[in-house]
Amino acid sequence: MVPGRFGADRVWGERAARPLRLLAGSGARATASEIAALRAGLNRRDEPAAALVRAVRDSARLSVRDLLRLVAAGPAEGVPEAVATFVEAVRKRPAWVDDDLLARGAEACRAFGMDAGLVLAYGSLLGGYRTGAALEPLVRTGRLTGGETLRRIKETSHWWRAVTEPGGLAPGGAGFLATLQVRVMHALVNARLEADPTWDHAFRGLPINQYDQASTLGVFSTSFLLHLRLLGVRVAKADAAAVMHLWCYVGWLLGVDEDWLPFTEKQGRRQLYHFLSFDPPPDRNSVGLARALIAMSDEFAHGWRRVYERERALSVSTWLLGRAAMRDLGLPRRPPWYGLARVTANLLISHGLGRLPGGRRLLLARGERQARAQFARWG
């Protein structure tokens, strides 16, 4: 059975996805076999993680923390077969993983500095809210509404920092373990919502499915790079390729099907076009989550600073997403003064300083200072 959300409003989907179709170039439209795979993906879960969760739940001796220790140390005797299989599988890297590319991709992400944070929040995350495709699990778990918004953003930022720190994705590294923790959490949420009689499987498919996981991965790689360029950030061709490689490996660790890992930007743009063009239009979850994200600064800013943070968020969102997306999200549009300010700054810093001898080192140091300052503002 094809879930009702698939292609629920093709006119809206094609209109929203048109920029991605143009960027993907010729041959962007999905073939019949690709459309069939998209449909099937809505009813496919991460089976190894699902089996793992069942095994951990059935074992009085194992917790998720125990599991992560096993992953760090390697397989051990006396554990359930599903646990041993999972641990062995995630510790055996695919042949295509290149450590040099992982290191370069991670370094590039950190060198993008505060622009990376702006893009992830107001380009990738907010842009993802434009469609009602994968939002119901977030609302059901209360993870991105009300006062939880800032906490979730901080958690995601810490995870992103762990993934992009030197050696973070080495077996047992901080980013490696944090990514597997996210994967197990997804499997736990999926199991709980699948068993919930109020879950509308006929319309939504599985709560956390391969289609939505692959689409979400695209906002950390393909969409991330597109929006960085809109802020005037210089993204070298080699850096872009390395960033895509980095997030393909992260996606693999998260349980995304290898067939849906975009190793090039062109492939990533084509895939994101397919996802968005068949996604359902925004719903009440889209509007509620978008407003909560824009109001996130109310948790740590006061007085004039609160007004500034909100206006900045609306301005950069308008610049990155466009007027139609802001309308879909129920958000007021603002003149793109902040986006243009970042473009001006990056013409001097990213394009100027970044090209000088030692410029990369200076950009990395600047990015670290900006990250520390952001976490200090959040408290």
Side-chain angles (χ1 to χ4, degrees):
M1 180 182 66
V2 180
R5 57 169 265 195
F6 185 77
D9 187 339
R10 293 287 288 134
V11 173
W12 177 87
E14 283 293 340
R15 183 173 66 247
R18 185 172 182 270
L20 286 166
R21 177 170 60 82
L22 296 176
L23 287 168
S26 60
R29 295 194 182 279
T31 64
S33 61
E34 287 170 331
I35 293 173
L38 290 169
R39 290 194 186 104
L42 288 167
N43 283 317
R44 289 176 48 235
R45 65 178 70 79
D46 174 5
E47 292 295 351
L52 175 76
V53 164
R54 288 193 295 270
V56 170
R57 282 181 167 177
D58 292 342
S59 173
R61 298 179 296 106
L62 276 177
S63 66
V64 173
R65 186 170 294 180
D66 293 330
L67 168 66
L68 292 176
R69 280 198 289 266
L70 282 172
V71 171
E77 294 183 0
V79 299
E81 183 180 353
V83 175
T85 299
F86 182 87
V87 171
E88 185 178 356
V90 297
R91 288 180 62 86
K92 186 177 180 181
R93 281 180 162 187
W96 49 261
V97 175
D98 184 317
D99 282 316
D100 290 338
L101 283 177
L102 292 182
R104 178 161 189 156
E107 183 183 88
C109 286
R110 297 196 311 278
F112 295 141
M114 67 177 291
D115 293 297
L118 287 170
V119 161
L120 289 171
Y122 302 114
S124 300
L125 183 59
L126 189 61
Y129 292 165
R130 188 181 183 187
T131 163
L135 305 184
E136 186 70 12
L138 295 175
V139 174
R140 294 276 191 120
T141 55
R143 297 297 288 149
L144 283 172
T145 56
E148 283 290 299
T149 304
L150 179 59
R151 186 163 75 88
R152 178 65 172 124
I153 293 297
K154 286 195 283 188
E155 287 175 355
T156 302
S157 297
H158 279 295
W159 168 70
W160 190 87
R161 295 276 297 169
V163 164
T164 59
E165 73 177 27
L169 287 177
F176 178 85
L177 293 177
T179 301
L180 292 177
Q181 185 171 5
V182 171
R183 182 175 180 178
V184 174
M185 180 192 73
H186 285 169
L188 287 167
V189 170
N190 205 41
R192 179 164 71 82
L193 291 180
E194 276 193 72
D196 188 335
T198 66
W199 181 261
D200 187 356
H201 191 106
F203 180 75
R204 298 188 181 279
L206 290 175
I208 299 178
N209 55 70
Q210 283 291 323
Y211 177 113
D212 290 332
Q213 285 187 283
S215 179
T216 301
L217 178 67
V219 306
F220 285 97
S221 54
T222 307
S223 176
F224 175 69
L225 292 171
L226 285 172
H227 286 134
L228 280 172
R229 296 184 180 100
L230 280 176
L231 291 182
V233 176
R234 175 177 174 261
V235 182
K237 187 175 181 179
D239 283 342
V243 169
M244 295 299 294
H245 188 85
L246 172 82
W247 288 102
C248 279
Y249 181 49
V250 173
W252 182 85
L253 288 174
L254 286 170
V256 176
D257 278 358
E258 201 160 329
D259 289 343
W260 274 351
L261 297 178
F263 288 93
T264 66
E265 278 197 85
K266 183 173 182 179
Q267 184 183 1
R269 293 172 186 179
R270 190 170 181 272
Q271 285 186 357
L272 278 186
Y273 162 58
H274 295 168
F275 290 128
L276 184 53
S277 65
F278 286 100
D279 274 348
D283 57 16
R284 67 183 187 282
N285 291 334
S286 302
V287 175
L289 290 169
R291 289 176 178 172
L293 181 60
I294 294 297
M296 174 182 68
S297 57
D298 292 356
E299 297 293 318
F300 62 88
H302 306 282
W304 69 267
R305 184 78 193 190
R306 175 180 293 185
V307 175
Y308 169 78
E309 291 287 350
R310 279 207 181 204
E311 291 300 312
R312 182 183 80 133
L314 289 169
S315 176
V316 75
S317 299
T318 303
W319 176 254
L320 292 174
L321 301 178
R323 296 167 64 89
M326 296 295 280
R327 182 177 62 249
D328 284 343
L329 292 166
L331 295 174
R333 298 184 296 274
R334 291 291 188 267
W337 58 271
Y338 193 76
L340 291 172
R342 291 310 307 158
V343 170
T344 302
N346 282 318
L347 287 176
L348 295 173
I349 298 171
S350 181
H351 286 265
L353 178 64
R355 294 176 186 271
L356 297 176
R360 179 67 155 240
R361 177 176 52 81
L362 294 173
L363 289 179
L364 277 168
R366 169 177 167 265
E368 293 301 307
R369 290 194 303 271
Q370 291 173 341
R372 288 194 296 269
Q374 182 62 74
F375 282 117
R377 281 194 295 273
W378 284 342

